[in-house]
Amino acid sequence: MSADRRHIMEMTRLVVTAGLAIAIAFSVLTYQPTVDRAERLGQLIKCPVCSGESIADSGTQLADDMMTLVRERLDEGATDAQIVDEILASYSGAVLLDPELKGSTAALWLIPAAIFVGGLVLVVNRRRRADPVEEADIARQRDAVRTDLEGVAWQRETGEIDLDTADRLTDLYRSELAVLEDAVPTGPVASAEPPQVGPWSRRTILGTTMLVTAFAAVLVGAFIFLGDPEGTGTGVVDGEVDLESVSNETMESVIAANADDPQIDGMRLALAERYFSEGSYSRAFPHYLALAESDTADRTQVATSLTRLGWMTYDGNGEAETAIALLDQALNVTPGAPLPLYLKGQITWCGIDRPDQAARIFDEVLEAPDLDSTVRDAVEKDLHAVENGEPCQT
Amino acid sequence: MPDVVLPRARPRGTLLRWGAIAGLVMVVAVTLSFASRFGDNPDMVDSPLLDNPAPAFTVPLLDGGGDVSLSDLGGEVVVINFFASWCVECRKEHADLVATAEAFRDRGVRFVAISYQDDPEASRRFLDELGRSEHTIYATDPGSRTAIAYGVFGIPETFFIDGDGVVVGKIIGESNALVLGDALDTILAGDTYGTEVAGNQRSAPDED
């Protein structure tokens, strides 16, 4: 083999080896195992049931399940953004440990950042101005202005210059002095020693205040933008419900779930009355019956229920005797009550055909004090019909 | 007269005064913000699912074999309740859920109760003790996939899906029949219910 050929072979081997090394190095450097990506993604997502922990760090069941989901999605070839988007679609930005920058959170980022930068500039500027050479220069200028002021005062006293010129120069020098004194500590700068910068100069205080303000703004933003725990429902939870607007189904479920609660009697009677007025006797019946047998319902609720049961028994089933028995029970609870008495009179007249008894009952109704005029008119009309032997009119 | 370029003069104390005012305003704002949020859980946020299509799911039935998919219930209002045997609040609201499922059965409402991070046997014992609704489908959620898809922070948590498959309501924490019925009345009237924080909820079995 010639020397040239050996040289070519060596060069070729060298190039191939170097290329292989570069390829391996590139692969190693750019390789991102799924596990690492999962951990990295997990670090970005807050565990929904923890306090500030990522799903990668938390040991809760939900966090573990979410990490498993992340790994599966990665194995399926999903991108990081797709996986984060999937989580955000369910949980919103509240589960991102680094809140995303978008419209509603822009202020959360930008305002504190602006205030922070402003504060930082002021503090740094103050430190920059502490340069001893610059400060000594300004101090020399200040001392020169002071000398000029004294000179003007001397010239005024000796009459070297007129008063108007003296006043004008004095005002000018004083304003210059004020600015220079604001820029450096007061007192002469006697040596090359750097002037001491007070730790609490006005600019430092202002800068610090702005930094604190930036921190406060972050807190306010976090509370304002990241959550609405009060909800947006109809307010029924806060007791703002209007029972008139509640459906029969809702009242049924509330009553069924609280059957043993004495406070439910009022809602049960309201629902039963609603069914009764709709003519739905079969739905009203069990509620009136429950109230009639209740140990907790008050006398009015029991009497009303027995009265309704009595009328429905007659009107719905035509059972006059049973109806009268129920109305008698109502009258035992509230003796002399006009409504059960009047209904009893009507059933006695029309149901069991005893007009004489009915007339006596109607008379008894008319003796009731404070009888409603409409009821009185109806009873008087029925009494008149009974006494004249007319057929019953229910 | 000194040969110097003078900085622009500024009234003394103006910067400091405005800085102090800004700081004070921030402190007051932070205090009020903390005070107004005291006792609230900042995690309880409006679900991003609201007014969006409900995530599809297929979950194994708790009793017997088979599974149920959301698509099986298409066209009806679906109530999805996440519960567990270890959740005290779930125990308290159970009777109300059963009663509501019964009361609304004739109005095209289906209830799906999904056991959340619970041993299926424990969930079955829970239902054996408190009773099952004949109009509720009881299911499990392996790997919490459905809970994650619905963004569950804790339980009980209840979601409402209208007949078009859109999430229209969410109740956080222990609810009751009045709240559930109010939500269903609203949704059946064609409106969006939104989010209601009804009571406490629990995020893990060992939570106090």
Side-chain angles (χ1 to χ4, degrees):
Chain A
M1 186 181 289
S2 68
D4 284 348
R5 187 177 173 81
R6 271 202 306 276
H7 183 67
I8 291 171
M9 288 291 288
E10 281 180 12
M11 285 298 291
T12 304
R13 194 162 51 236
L14 194 64
V15 168
V16 169
T17 306
L20 205 60
I22 290 170
I24 292 171
F26 182 79
S27 300
V28 168
L29 289 174
T30 58
Y31 176 62
Q32 287 189 313
T34 301
V35 173
D36 287 348
R37 281 181 66 199
E39 287 291 321
R40 185 166 49 78
L41 272 174
Q43 293 290 348
L44 298 175
I45 300 166
K46 178 178 174 291
C47 164
V49 296
C50 315
S51 298
E53 277 186 297
S54 72
I55 59 172
D57 295 331
S58 169
T60 63
Q61 180 71 51
L62 183 59
D64 288 347
D65 289 340
M66 290 177 81
M67 281 302 294
T68 303
L69 176 67
V70 168
R71 290 192 184 94
E72 283 186 16
R73 291 287 182 267
L74 287 171
D75 289 341
E76 291 165 6
T79 64
D80 293 3
Q82 286 172 332
I83 294 168
V84 170
D85 284 349
E86 182 178 343
I87 301 288
L88 289 185
S90 306
Y91 282 100
S92 82
V95 294
L96 278 187
L97 283 170
D98 295 322
E100 57 190 337
L101 179 59
K102 62 180 184 180
S104 62
T105 57
L108 177 66
W109 288 92
L110 298 180
I111 293 174
I115 298 173
F116 181 84
V117 168
L120 209 59
V121 165
L122 281 175
V123 172
V124 170
N125 188 42
R126 177 66 184 131
R127 293 184 70 82
R128 185 182 61 76
R129 288 182 351 91
D131 175 65
V133 175
E134 186 184 344
E135 193 139 332
D137 186 40
I138 295 174
R140 274 194 297 276
Q141 294 172 20
R142 180 200 63 200
D143 292 343
V145 175
R146 281 177 179 166
T147 305
D148 290 343
L149 258 178
E150 289 166 3
V152 170
W154 183 81
Q155 287 174 314
R156 174 204 284 267
E157 284 178 10
T158 58
E160 273 192 25
I161 57 174
D162 60 68
L163 290 177
D164 283 343
T165 305
D167 287 342
R168 192 164 46 78
L169 288 171
T170 302
D171 289 342
L172 176 66
Y173 290 154
R174 278 180 180 163
S175 65
E176 291 173 357
L177 186 60
V179 173
L180 290 165
E181 283 181 340
D182 189 42
V184 294
T186 54
V189 179
S191 67
E193 191 79 14
Q196 296 299 309
V197 179
W200 293 107
S201 71
R202 277 182 291 170
R203 283 174 179 273
T204 307
I205 292 172
L206 180 61
T208 306
T209 303
M210 292 179 80
L211 292 176
V212 171
T213 302
F215 174 71
V218 169
L219 286 179
V220 171
F223 273 84
I224 290 174
F225 292 116
L226 300 182
D228 178 16
E230 293 173 358
T232 56
T234 58
V236 69
V237 171
D238 305 319
E240 297 168 8
V241 64
D242 175 13
L243 281 181
E244 290 292 322
S245 65
V246 175
S247 69
N248 292 352
E249 289 82 3
T250 297
M251 291 175 83
E252 284 281 9
S253 58
V254 171
I255 290 165
N258 299 276
D260 298 330
D261 186 346
Q263 294 183 333
I264 210 64
D265 290 335
M267 181 180 280
R268 188 188 286 281
L269 182 59
L271 178 60
E273 291 283 277
R274 191 183 285 185
Y275 284 141
F276 181 83
S277 65
E278 293 170 358
S280 181
Y281 289 175
S282 60
R283 290 182 184 274
F285 196 91
H287 292 292
Y288 284 131
L289 189 61
L291 285 167
E293 295 175 343
S294 169
D295 295 329
T296 56
D298 63 32
R299 290 172 62 247
T300 304
Q301 290 169 335
V302 172
T304 301
S305 299
L306 287 166
T307 302
R308 298 297 195 205
L309 286 169
W311 181 253
M312 289 191 300
T313 301
Y314 171 70
D315 191 40
N317 299 345
E319 298 175 13
E321 286 81 5
T322 307
I324 289 173
L326 287 165
L327 292 168
D328 281 338
Q329 286 184 46
L331 290 165
N332 284 337
V333 177
T334 52
L339 183 59
L341 200 56
Y342 175 51
L343 294 177
K344 181 182 174 184
Q346 280 212 325
I347 296 170
T348 301
W349 180 23
C350 303
I352 58 175
D353 195 21
R354 300 279 176 79
D356 293 344
Q357 281 185 30
R360 284 196 294 275
I361 294 171
F362 289 147
D363 276 333
E364 196 177 339
V365 175
L366 292 172
E367 290 171 7
D370 303 325
L371 190 63
D372 181 84
S373 60
T374 307
V375 176
R376 179 177 296 279
D377 290 346
V379 175
E380 285 177 344
K381 185 180 171 191
D382 284 349
L383 180 59
H384 182 74
V386 168
E387 288 174 342
N388 291 331
E390 297 175 12
C392 74
Q393 305 166 10
T394 54
Chain B
M1 188 164 165
D3 182 19
V4 58
V5 178
L6 296 171
R8 191 164 61 88
R10 186 191 296 277
R12 286 167 181 254
T14 302
L15 272 177
L16 193 59
R17 192 158 51 245
W18 281 108
I21 290 171
L24 192 62
V25 167
M26 275 302 169
V27 168
V28 170
V30 168
T31 305
L32 290 176
S33 182
F34 269 113
S36 67
R37 300 276 168 161
F38 186 77
D40 288 332
N41 182 351
D43 286 338
M44 291 180 177
V45 297
D46 263 348
S47 171
L49 296 174
L50 277 178
D51 295 326
N52 286 305
F57 62 79
T58 299
V59 285
L61 295 174
L62 185 63
D63 298 310
D67 50 39
V68 63
S69 299
L70 180 60
S71 55
D72 297 339
L73 312 170
E76 293 185 298
V77 171
V78 178
V79 181
I80 300 175
N81 172 256
F82 290 92
F83 78 101
S85 64
W86 44 262
C87 162
V88 176
E89 290 76 11
C90 303
R91 179 172 289 269
K92 289 178 182 173
E93 73 167 7
H94 183 79
D96 291 71
L97 281 163
V98 169
T100 307
E102 300 295 321
F104 281 86
R105 67 184 184 276
D106 294 332
R107 293 190 65 188
V109 179
R110 295 296 297 271
F111 278 63
V112 180
I114 298 178
S115 169
Y116 171 81
Q117 294 180 5
D118 200 13
D119 172 26
E121 190 51 44
S123 295
R124 280 190 280 272
R125 282 199 302 272
F126 174 87
L127 296 173
D128 289 344
E129 178 192 348
L130 299 179
R132 289 169 171 79
S133 159
E134 292 179 9
H135 304 281
T136 299
I137 299 167
Y138 295 97
T140 61
D141 185 22
S144 306
R145 288 304 161 87
T146 309
I148 294 171
Y150 279 80
V152 169
F153 280 94
I155 54 171
E157 220 163 80
T158 308
F159 293 84
F160 298 83
I161 300 166
D162 70 11
D164 296 326
V166 173
V167 178
V168 288
K170 175 184 177 184
I171 294 177
I172 297 168
E174 176 193 341
S175 64
N176 57 56
L178 190 57
V179 175
L180 290 163
D182 180 50
L184 286 171
D185 286 342
T186 303
I187 292 161
L188 289 168
D191 297 325
T192 294
Y193 181 67
T195 303
E196 190 70 81
V197 181
N200 294 330
Q201 62 175 183
R202 202 162 286 260
S203 57
D206 54 354
E207 188 181 339
D208 290 331

